């Protein structure tokens, strides 16, 4: 039998299935008036510690929930439950990032009356940046011990985020970390980044960060009303 | 480092497209890779080679087309191609008018551009 070769123009987004599910999640979140925040950083930059502090500060006035993404263990979710907040652990069993379909699987368990849903991504400054989870805001965290050269070395995380949170600022006196350089370079690759200097240890910057979150929630509620 | 899961999604699209077109075989796969897509071409290639075994694209060649990072100024429409985003000199400021309203218009995407099939 004769074989015929032909070319087939496809033009299909390989990340399309993730984007589609993320879009569905975003729509539901908007309908419920939930502000979801996706937190990205290298392992150990202080994501869970920051969430513990923000949680304590906001929990009397708002309904909060936390999704914890880790490769293995329930440890981070347990830390969040200890401060009295509902937490859902997603273990990726090896995968280096959260994907929208992983969230979709547990989405039914999330109460529709939440105000804030924090999503702690797997500790990794590279891969999570490529996967939309349907979040309303993306935070990238950079801790002082990691060094001040990171924004241009890991540009995607900084380009796709709306907020840069410098963490562990209590360590500034002990480490050669040029805060101005980091902020300058981060703004060069993303001029719209909002920057917060924080410490979970001393509490520095947490009031400002929480006030910002409250403002963002209000803004969204008025837009989607 | 998640090239294998991307390749799995790629094969879902390949099989669906090939079936629709009544293909017996896929002989070539052309994928467009943005420089800012987070994909490492070598890893994508080796994931493709191991994944294709036993599929309709068993013998297929993979061609990767790298797409440069490109910005467009929202104020004056000037387009710039970033040679290397990690350049010390790189900044998202329009070289023509100094505006900081630069929109990323290319370089983030990863898509299946075309297939060569045998029917
Ligand atoms: N000095 C100082 N240490 C901190 C601060 N925040 C967190 N740490 C410490 O940094 C370490 C990591 O903190 P975590 O909050 O677990 O970091 P994480 O980003 O959630 O880590 P992974 O989930 O494993 O990626 C812990 O030992 C914390 O005590 C801070 O503001 N100052
Ligand atoms: Mg953690
Ligand atoms: Zn311009």
């Amino acid at each position: 039998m004769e074989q015929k070769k032909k070319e087939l123009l496809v033009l299909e987004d390989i990340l399309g299935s993730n984007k589609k599910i993320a879009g569905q999640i975003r729509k539901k979140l908007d309908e419920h008036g939930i502000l979801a925040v996706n937190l990205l950083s290298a392992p150990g930059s202080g994501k869970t510690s920051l969430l513990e502090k923000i949680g304590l500060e906001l929990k009397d006035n708002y309904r909060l929930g936390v999704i914890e993404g880790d490769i293995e263990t329930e440890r981070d979710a347990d830390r969040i439950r200890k401060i009295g907040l509902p937490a859902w652990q997603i273990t990726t069993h090896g995968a280096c990032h959260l994907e929208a379909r992983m969230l979709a699987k547990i989405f039914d368990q999330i109460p529709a009356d939440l105000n804030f849903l924090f999503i702690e991504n797997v500790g990794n400054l590279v891969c999570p940046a490529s996967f939309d989870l349907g979040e309303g805001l993306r935070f990238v965290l950079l801790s002082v011990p990691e060094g001040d050269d990171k924004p241009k070395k890991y540009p995607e995380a900084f380009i796709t985020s709306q907020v840069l949170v410098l963490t562990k600022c209590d360590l500034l006196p002990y480490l050669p970390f040029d805060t101005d350089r980091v902020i300058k370079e981060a703004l060069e690759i993303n001029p719209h980044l909002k920057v917060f200097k924080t410490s979970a240890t001393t509490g520095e910057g947490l009031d400002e960060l929480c006030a910002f979150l409250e403002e963002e929630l209000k803004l969204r509620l008025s837009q989607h009303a | 480092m998640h090239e294998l899961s991307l390749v799995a999604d790629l094969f879902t699209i390949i099989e669906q497209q090939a079936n629709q077109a009544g293909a017996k075989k896929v002989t070539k796969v052309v994928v467009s890779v943005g420089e800012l897509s987070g994909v490492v071409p070598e890893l994508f290639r080796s994931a493709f080679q191991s994944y294709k075994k036993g599929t309709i694209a068993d013998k297929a060649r993979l061609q990767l087309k790298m797409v440069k990072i490109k910005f467009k100024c929202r104020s004056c429409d000037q387009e710039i191609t970033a040679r290397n985003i990690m350049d010390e000199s790189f900044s998202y400021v329009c070289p023509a008018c100094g505006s900081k309203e630069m929109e990323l218009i290319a370089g983030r995407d990863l898509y299946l551009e075309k297939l060569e099939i045998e029917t």
Side-chain angles (χ1 to χ4, degrees), chain A residues 15-36:
Chain A
L15 287 163
S17 67
N18 186 75
K19 284 181 187 157
K20 195 170 144 212
I21 300 169
Q24 292 161 353
I25 293 176
R26 180 167 289 115
K27 191 160 162 269
K28 276 194 206 163
L29 291 167
D30 285 347
E31 280 166 13
H32 297 321
I34 303 174
L35 173 54

Side-chain angles (χ1 to χ4, degrees), chain B residues 26-76:
Chain B
V26 174
T27 50
K28 189 174 164 190
V29 176
V30 183
V31 173
S32 159
V33 182
E35 284 187 347
L36 206 61
S37 67
V39 168
V40 184
E42 292 75 27
L43 296 181
F44 195 86
R45 214 171 260 293
S46 64
F48 182 88
Q49 296 309 337
S50 57
Y51 203 97
K52 73 178 186 182
K53 292 187 186 107
T55 72
I56 193 163
D58 203 334
K59 299 254 160 34
R61 272 193 309 125
L62 174 66
Q63 184 188 342
L64 296 181
K65 280 194 179 170
M66 299 307 290
V67 175
K68 292 241 178 273
I69 301 158
K70 212 178 192 182
F71 294 92
K72 186 175 178 179
C73 175
R74 287 209 177 101
S75 313
C76 76

Side-chain angles (χ1 to χ4, degrees), chain A residues 117-138:
Chain A
L117 176 64
F118 295 99
I119 308 165
E120 179 178 339
N121 220 308
V122 177
N124 176 340
L125 198 47
V126 185
C127 308
S130 304
F131 294 86
D132 185 8
L133 301 179
E135 72 266 23
L137 282 175
R138 187 176 286 192

